[in-house]
Structures are given as structure tokens and as C-alpha cells.
């Protein structure tokens, strides 16, 4: 079965490579022209620091998020260098931009877990199986420009394995988070991760307002596969960071370096729900350009969904979290990134009193940090290391949030550590390959002192191993 999966993946990759090469030759798609510092979110040393112009010209599908101060949104990163479908007009209507990417990969796990899963690693969580992670298509329309104001609307559509992780209640899922659009028995499905409109002013002091369903500003990594330095994702991104918001977000750029962020939404990863969740965000972003640091601090507060249902209805309670991104260019070709999070949710743990047979609730906390060291080996070729630590000591994000009195938590421990070594190679102007070697370890284990507790339970290998090693690679084809 493993051999057949590998052969299938290779066949698909070869076919797509041939198709993409023919497409690139026919449409004269040239190299994106971004150097390593631009790939990881810094301006080139000799670049003119015009944030408004950069927002218009950030067209490389490999540019990582936060590529510019004025356009840190993930929606612009998959843009191809082609012109708009309908062309431009003298009135400023640029028509529709259509662009996207196909990402497929394979993750080998020598432990061969019985359930076929690499979890709690997600997105590439299928062990020894080929995955079509994303067939990602984005349609963007630039409306008539009046004076210094710009109007834009965008819708993103994804088909693939990753859709299950970015589907939200009230849209792709029912309000109780059960699947609506996609089958419970199928691994592949459709998701609409973004559907929004923006209005933005020009000038040195600019205002951008976004309304709809869109990616959050939190976290260094992104849902969009081509934005990330590695195929797999960190625990901090997977379990400590909201993927999307539905609501309104506004950012005001005071000058070329400092930007304020605020917004209101339906909570983490939610279109709508019966629990009435809501979320406020407040943040500041400092971008020193090519010669200085990048720092973003984002505070999220509100009432958000818990991992509990009452009569089939999802429950919500107070959730507060802080998300910090720090980036520094150590040299012309070496970059450092730190992505940290700290979170709290009230009444996220179910507490079962065995003596009185009463169920109560208690608060949960989590925190983690992912650090990256990234190096440009040559134009179009980079290598990097990621060290990721996440503590879910109350089991509200990864584990089972149940505690018995007496007895304790169902799971003990709660520390998850990931070490990833990988590289990225642009083998054609629109084709990128990312191989990686990853090691994970956790002290999470079953508690024998609770009813039905099993001390042999571990985090990996279908709950039998304390660690795992995976060897993975993916290929992304832009179009």
C-alpha cells in the first residue's frame, strides 16, 4: 500500500509538472524576482519604502505573509504575476484577477500508526498516504478608484484535504460544528476561507477597513500552503492561533513603520453559531524595514466556543489570548522569526465530582512559541529549522478537557515539542518543492487514577508512542 501511494503521488507530480511547465512557457510567466528577505517578509535593502506601492505590486505567490505593512493579509500572497482578466481601464477599474495554486504532498511515518494518522500534527496528518492538500483559487476585483481611495473585493475557494481544518460553523459546517457541505466519510471537501471587501485610503497615513470573512492577523504561518517555509505546521499555529474571522477589521498606518489594528468578529473560526460568540481585537505592528526589526502584538478578547455541547448546542465563554510575532534579518541571507501565543478560556474544562455526581467547569490556559531560523542558499533555494513548543496543560486545545474529583485530569503532561528541518526549492518559475524531516515528542499520557484511565496512552502512533519521526515533501504549482 505504501509503494502504491508513493507511485501515485509521483505520477500526479510528474503530470502536473509537465502541465505547469507548458503553461508557464505559453504564458511567458517569468521568475517572481523576490530575494530571500522579501520571501520572509522584509523589504530589499535598496527598495523604496512605499507601502502603498508595495501593496499593489506584491504579486509573487511565494511571498510570505506580512510582506508589506499596508498589505499583511494572506489573501494577496497567492497572486500570480499575470495581469487582470479584463484588463485595466482609464477609470481605474482593474477588473478581475484570477490566480491560485495546487499543493500536494506525502508524509512518511516509519512507525506506521494503526489508525493511519500522524496526529496531533494536522494538515499533513495522513501517514504514508498521498494528499492533495489544496487546489486554491482566488478571485479578486479592484473597483473604480475615486481620488485616493481604493475599493477591492475577494473570494477564495479551496478544494482538498485541508478544507476540513478551515471549515467554520455557520458556513461549511452546521452551527453545532457538524459537517454541512462536505461528507463525514470523505477526507476531501470544499471551503471558502475568504469572502470580503475592503476600502483603503492612500498616502503616508492610510486607513484600511475590511468587511466579511477573512484570514486573521495572528500567527506567522498561514493556511495558504505557499506562504509557509515548511510543509507541516507548528503546534502554535495549529492549536493556538485563529485561522479566520467573520466581521470587520480596520488598520491605520500612522507612518511608514507603525500601524494600529482593531476589529470585531463572530469569534475564532466562525461564520455564525447559536452560542453567540464574539471577539474584539486590538494590536500594534512595527516594521523597521530592511534595516530593523518587525514586531506585531495582537490582543484578542471575547466569548468564544468551547469543546462542549449542551443539548446539541455549542457553548461559549470568555476567551482571552495574546499573539506576538517578532522577525529580524540577521544578515543578507539569514532570518530569525519567533511566533508566540498565550491563551485563557473560562469554564473550558468539565470537572466531574465523583462523590456528588455533579458536573462543574474550570478555566484552561495554554501557551507556546515557535522559532524559525531561515537561510537563503541561492536564489530560489532556502533552508530552515523550526523549533516549536506548545503547552496545553489543561487539555483544552489538543487533549480531552475532562477532570475528575478525585483523580485529576484524564490526560497528564500536556507539553508538545516539534523540531523540523527542511528546505524550499523553486525548480521552475511557478513550481516549488519543500522536503522536510520532523521529530515530535510529548509527555502527554493517560491518567490511571481516573475512571477508565489507561497509563499506556501516549500522544502519537495511534496513542501508543511518546514520539514520532516523519519524512515529508510537497510540491506547489502556481497558476
Amino acid at each position: 500500500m505504501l509503494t502504491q501511494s508513493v507511485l501515485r503521488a509521483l505520477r500526479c507530480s510528474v503530470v502536473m509538472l509537465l502541465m505547469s511547465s507548458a503553461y508557464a512557457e505559453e504564458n511567458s510567466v517569468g521568475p517572481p524576482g523576490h530575494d530571500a528577505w522579501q520571501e520572509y517578509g522584509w523589504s530589499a535593502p535598496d527598495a523604496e519604502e512605499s507601502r502603498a506601492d508595495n501593496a499593489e505590486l506584491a504579486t509573487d505567490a511565494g511571498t510570505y505573509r506580512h510582506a508589506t505593512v499596508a498589505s499583511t493579509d494572506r489573501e494577496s500572497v497567492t497572486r500570480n504575476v499575470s495581469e487582470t482578466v479584463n484588463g485595466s481601464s482609464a477609470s481605474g477599474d482593474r477588473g478581475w484577477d484570477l490566480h491560485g495554486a495546487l499543493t500536494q504532498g506525502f508524509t512518511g511515518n516509519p512507525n506506521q500508526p494503526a489508525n493511519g494518522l500522524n496526529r496531533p500534527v494536522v494538515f499533513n496528518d495522513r501517514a504514508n498516504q498521498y494528499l492533495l492538500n489544496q487546489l486554491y483559487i482566488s478571485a479578486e476585483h479592484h473597483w473604480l478608484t475615486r481620488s485616493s481611495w481604493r475599493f477591492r473585493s475577494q473570494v477564495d475557494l479551496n478544494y482538498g484535504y485541508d478544507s476540513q481544518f478551515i471549515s467554520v460553523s455557520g458556513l461549511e459546517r452546521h452551527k453545532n460544528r457538524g459537517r454541512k457541505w462536505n461528507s463525514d466519510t470523505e477526507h476531501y471537501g470544499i471551503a471558502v476561507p475568504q469572502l470580503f471587501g475592503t476600502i483603503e485610503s492612500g498616502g503616508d497615513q492610510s486607513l484600511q477597513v475590511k468587511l466579511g470573512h477573512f484570514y486573521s492577523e495572528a500567527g506567522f504561518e498561514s493556511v495558504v500552503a505557499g506562504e509557509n517555509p515548511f510543509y507541516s505546521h507548528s503546534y502554535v499555529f495549529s492549536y493556538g492561533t485563529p485561522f479566520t474571522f467573520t466581521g470587520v477589521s480596520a488598520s491605520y498606518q500612522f507612518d511608514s513603520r507603525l500601524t494600529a489594528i482593531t476589529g470585531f468578529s463572530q469569534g475564532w473560526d466562525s461564520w455564525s453559531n447559536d452560542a453567540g460568540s464574539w471577539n474584539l481585537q486590538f494590536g500594534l505592528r512595527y516594521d523597521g524595514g530592511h534595516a530593523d526589526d518587525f514586531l506585531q502584538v495582537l490582543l484578542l478578547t471575547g466569548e468564544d466556543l468551547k469543546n462542549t455541547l449542551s443539548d446539541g448546542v455549542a457553548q461559549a465563554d470568555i476567551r482571552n489570548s495574546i499573539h506576538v510575532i517578532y522577525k529580524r534579518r540577521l544578515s543578507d541571507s539569514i532570518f530569525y522569526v519567533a511566533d508566540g501565543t498565550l491563551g485563557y478560556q473560562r469554564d473550558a474544562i468539565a470537572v466531574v465530582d465523583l462523590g456528588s455526581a455533579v458536573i462543574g467547569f474550570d478555566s484552561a490556559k495554554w501557551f507556546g512559541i515557535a522559532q524559525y531560523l531561515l537561510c537563503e542558499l541561492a536564489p530560489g533555494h532556502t533552508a530552515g529549522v523550526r523549533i516549536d513548543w506548545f503547552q496545553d496543560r489543561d487539555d483544552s486545545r489538543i487533549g480531552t478537557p475532562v477532570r475528575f474529583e478525585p483523580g485529576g485530569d484524564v490526560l497528564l503532561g500536556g507539553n508538545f515539542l516539534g523540531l523540523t528541518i527542511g528546505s524550499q526549492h523553486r525548480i521552475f518559475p511557478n513550481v516549488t518543492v519543500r522536503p522536510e524531516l520532523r521529530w515530535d515528542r510529548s509527555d502527554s499520557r493517560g491518567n490511571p487514577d481516573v475512571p477508565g484511565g489507561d497509563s499506556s496512552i501516549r500522544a502519537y502512533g495511534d496513542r501508543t508512542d511518546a514520539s514520532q519521526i516523519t519524512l515529508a515533501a510537497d510540491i506547489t504549482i502556481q497558476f
Side-chain angles (χ1 to χ4, degrees):
M1 182 178 298
L2 174 60
T3 303
Q4 293 176 348
S5 299
V6 174
L7 291 175
R8 189 182 306 115
L10 290 174
R11 285 197 299 268
C12 292
S13 300
V14 170
V15 170
M16 293 309 300
L17 276 170
L18 293 174
M19 293 174 63
S20 64
S21 299
Y23 175 89
E25 181 178 357
E26 179 182 350
N27 292 275
S28 300
V29 178
H34 285 255
D35 291 309
W37 45 80
Q38 293 171 301
E39 292 283 353
Y40 296 105
W42 288 265
S43 301
D46 58 351
E48 181 180 355
E49 294 189 5
S50 173
R51 299 308 192 270
D53 289 342
N54 285 343
E56 291 292 323
L57 298 174
T59 58
D60 178 17
T63 305
Y64 293 116
R65 64 181 307 221
H66 304 303
T68 64
V69 170
S71 181
T72 61
D73 316 308
R74 292 171 176 164
E75 76 271 7
S76 65
V77 182
T78 56
R79 191 173 308 150
N80 194 273
V81 295
S82 59
E83 291 294 328
T84 59
V85 172
N86 295 329
S88 301
S89 65
S91 62
D93 189 341
R94 290 175 49 189
W96 284 97
D97 286 327
L98 296 177
H99 44 270
L102 171 69
T103 298
Q104 52 189 330
F106 182 89
T107 302
N109 189 332
N111 288 350
Q112 298 189 353
N115 62 358
L117 296 174
N118 302 317
R119 292 182 182 177
V121 175
V122 291
F123 288 90
N124 65 319
D125 60 7
R126 289 279 158 182
N128 306 314
Q129 295 184 38
Y130 159 81
L131 289 178
L132 193 164
N133 293 95
Q134 297 183 3
L135 176 56
Y136 198 100
I137 300 174
S138 182
E140 179 180 354
H141 193 285
H142 292 256
W143 300 91
L144 293 174
T145 300
R146 299 300 185 190
S147 184
S148 61
W149 291 91
R150 295 187 293 271
F151 304 87
R152 182 166 60 88
S153 58
Q154 181 168 328
V155 57
D156 292 3
L157 178 69
N158 183 69
Y159 172 78
Y161 187 79
D162 291 359
S163 291
Q164 61 186 297
F165 301 109
I166 56 177
S167 297
V168 300
S169 60
L171 188 60
E172 301 95 346
R173 296 180 180 271
H174 294 289
K175 291 187 177 182
N176 65 0
R177 294 187 282 185
R179 294 194 183 188
K180 180 172 62 175
W181 289 9
N182 303 307
S183 170
D184 289 329
T185 60
E186 295 293 331
H187 300 318
Y188 292 82
I190 297 174
V192 181
Q194 295 202 112
L195 178 61
F196 67 90
T198 64
I199 178 173
E200 182 178 356
S201 67
D204 294 334
Q205 295 178 327
S206 63
L207 172 69
Q208 183 189 78
V209 179
K210 183 185 301 184
L211 178 65
H213 182 56
F214 45 84
Y215 288 127
S216 78
E217 300 275 4
F220 171 67
E221 294 188 12
S222 167
V223 168
V224 182
E227 298 184 25
N228 303 300
F230 301 101
Y231 176 31
S232 66
H233 285 286
S234 69
Y235 292 112
V236 169
F237 172 77
S238 300
Y239 296 101
T241 305
F243 298 156
T244 61
F245 289 133
T246 302
V248 60
S249 176
S251 62
Y252 181 78
Q253 183 177 326
F254 294 99
D255 52 36
S256 62
R257 300 192 175 202
L258 187 63
T259 302
I261 307 167
T262 189
F264 175 82
S265 73
Q266 298 293 312
W268 292 31
D269 307 312
S270 175
W271 178 276
S272 64
N273 57 78
D274 292 329
S277 64
W278 58 273
N279 182 274
L280 292 172
Q281 66 171 343
F282 306 95
L284 285 174
R285 181 187 307 126
Y286 171 82
D287 188 344
H290 70 272
D292 210 336
D293 302 333
F294 175 101
L295 177 65
Q296 176 179 285
V297 180
L298 193 66
L299 170 64
L300 305 179
T301 182
E303 287 197 2
D304 229 305
L305 297 177
K306 307 184 294 184
N307 291 324
T308 58
L309 298 175
S310 178
D311 296 327
V313 178
Q315 301 297 297
D317 215 317
I318 295 296
R319 180 187 295 178
N320 300 320
S321 61
I322 298 176
H323 307 266
V324 179
I325 304 171
Y326 173 73
K327 299 190 292 186
R328 184 174 181 82
R329 187 167 63 90
L330 303 179
S331 70
D332 288 345
S333 59
I334 300 178
F335 317 93
Y336 171 78
V337 181
D339 181 11
T341 185
L342 171 65
Y344 159 89
Q345 183 150 17
R346 189 172 67 185
D347 291 349
I349 310 170
V351 181
V352 182
D353 191 316
L354 296 176
S356 62
V358 173
I359 298 178
F361 295 92
D362 200 359
S363 299
K365 300 179 181 67
W366 62 89
F367 55 89
I369 183 171
Q371 300 183 82
Y372 308 74
L373 190 63
L374 307 167
C375 177
E376 181 189 28
L377 304 176
H381 301 272
T382 61
V385 177
R386 178 183 62 203
I387 301 177
D388 175 31
W389 172 55
F390 190 80
Q391 187 183 75
D392 184 29
R393 66 181 185 183
D394 297 312
D395 303 311
S396 66
R397 306 303 300 169
I398 301 179
T400 303
V402 177
R403 179 179 299 155
F404 287 93
E405 296 292 349
D409 295 340
V410 170
L411 295 174
L412 304 175
N415 291 286
F416 294 83
L417 177 66
L419 173 62
T420 306
I421 302 173
S423 60
Q424 183 169 165
H425 308 278
R426 183 176 293 135
I427 58 177
F428 293 104
N430 63 327
V431 180
T432 302
V433 176
R434 295 180 299 185
E436 70 170 46
L437 175 66
R438 175 167 176 157
W439 172 77
D440 294 273
R441 185 170 181 83
S442 174
D443 63 355
S444 180
R445 60 196 185 279
N447 184 358
D449 297 330
V450 301
D454 184 352
S455 61
S456 67
I457 290 178
R458 295 294 185 269
Y460 307 98
D462 195 14
R463 314 297 283 177
T464 62
D465 297 319
S467 64
Q468 73 176 7
I469 294 177
T470 55
L471 180 62
D474 75 337
I475 180 171
T476 296
I477 304 169
Q478 306 161 18
F479 53 87

